[in-house]
Amino acid sequence: MAKLTIEIDPSLQKQIDRIVRDGWYADASALAVEAVRQYAEAKSHLGDSPPLLHRFAADALNASKPETALKFVSRGITLLASQEIADLVLFQKMVELKVQILLVLDRAEDAIITLEAAKDKLPNNPTIDGWLRKLKK
């Protein structure tokens, strides 16, 4: 096991002390180990980063590879939908990109289904509503 020594600012130390005092972790060391573990795990799965998946999907679509783009954007939407607190701006961008990809693939019905499913997370979103109106005409 490796040992790590870090210096942290007083405001972060107060937050750590509060978390430990509230009983979330046995001590500051346990909290630090968990934080580093979660960070390293997240960085180990870069392919499961919704922002990167969005970029990969856009790049694939620009490279005339809509099927590949669809796989990336679908994975990104799935990950965002499973998050307790999702990035709704990124979710909207992912949905719009998926709709564009589906239209390139001549799958308008699937695009409508995607938009209707997105309304669960974005019930009053004018962009999603606009896409739906346009595609249902």
Side-chain angles (χ1 to χ4, degrees):
M1 189 181 292
K3 185 172 183 164
L4 177 66
T5 303
I6 60 170
E7 290 184 28
I8 57 173
D9 63 79
S11 65
L12 180 57
Q13 182 61 49
K14 285 180 184 178
Q15 292 176 15
I16 291 170
D17 291 343
R18 182 190 50 78
I19 292 169
V20 171
R21 189 174 50 250
D22 289 349
W24 290 99
Y25 293 92
D27 56 27
S29 181
L31 182 138
V33 167
E34 178 64 15
V36 170
R37 185 195 63 74
Q38 287 183 20
Y39 181 82
E41 189 174 282
K43 295 301 178 190
S44 298
H45 303 288
L46 287 178
D48 277 351
S49 163
L52 281 178
L53 288 165
H54 180 266
R55 192 175 83 213
F56 295 159
D59 289 346
L61 183 59
N62 288 337
S64 297
K65 297 178 183 177
E67 293 289 345
T68 301
L70 185 58
K71 290 176 186 174
F72 285 131
V73 79
S74 294
R75 176 69 179 149
I77 289 172
T78 299
L79 289 172
L80 283 172
S82 69
Q83 292 178 349
E84 197 170 308
I85 300 174
D87 179 343
L88 295 180
V89 172
L90 180 58
F91 181 77
Q92 177 185 328
K93 289 179 182 178
M94 291 276 223
V95 168
E96 288 182 84
L97 182 57
K98 184 172 183 178
V99 167
Q100 292 169 13
I101 293 165
L102 290 169
L103 292 176
V104 166
L105 294 170
D106 200 27
R107 293 171 51 186
E109 286 300 315
D110 289 340
I112 291 170
I113 292 168
T114 297
L115 290 164
E116 288 174 345
K119 288 187 71 62
D120 290 340
K121 277 208 181 280
L122 304 167
N124 298 314
N125 186 290
T127 304
I128 300 297
D129 291 338
W131 273 105
L132 271 171
R133 279 192 304 276
K134 184 185 295 187
L135 290 177
K136 286 184 174 181
K137 285 185 179 181

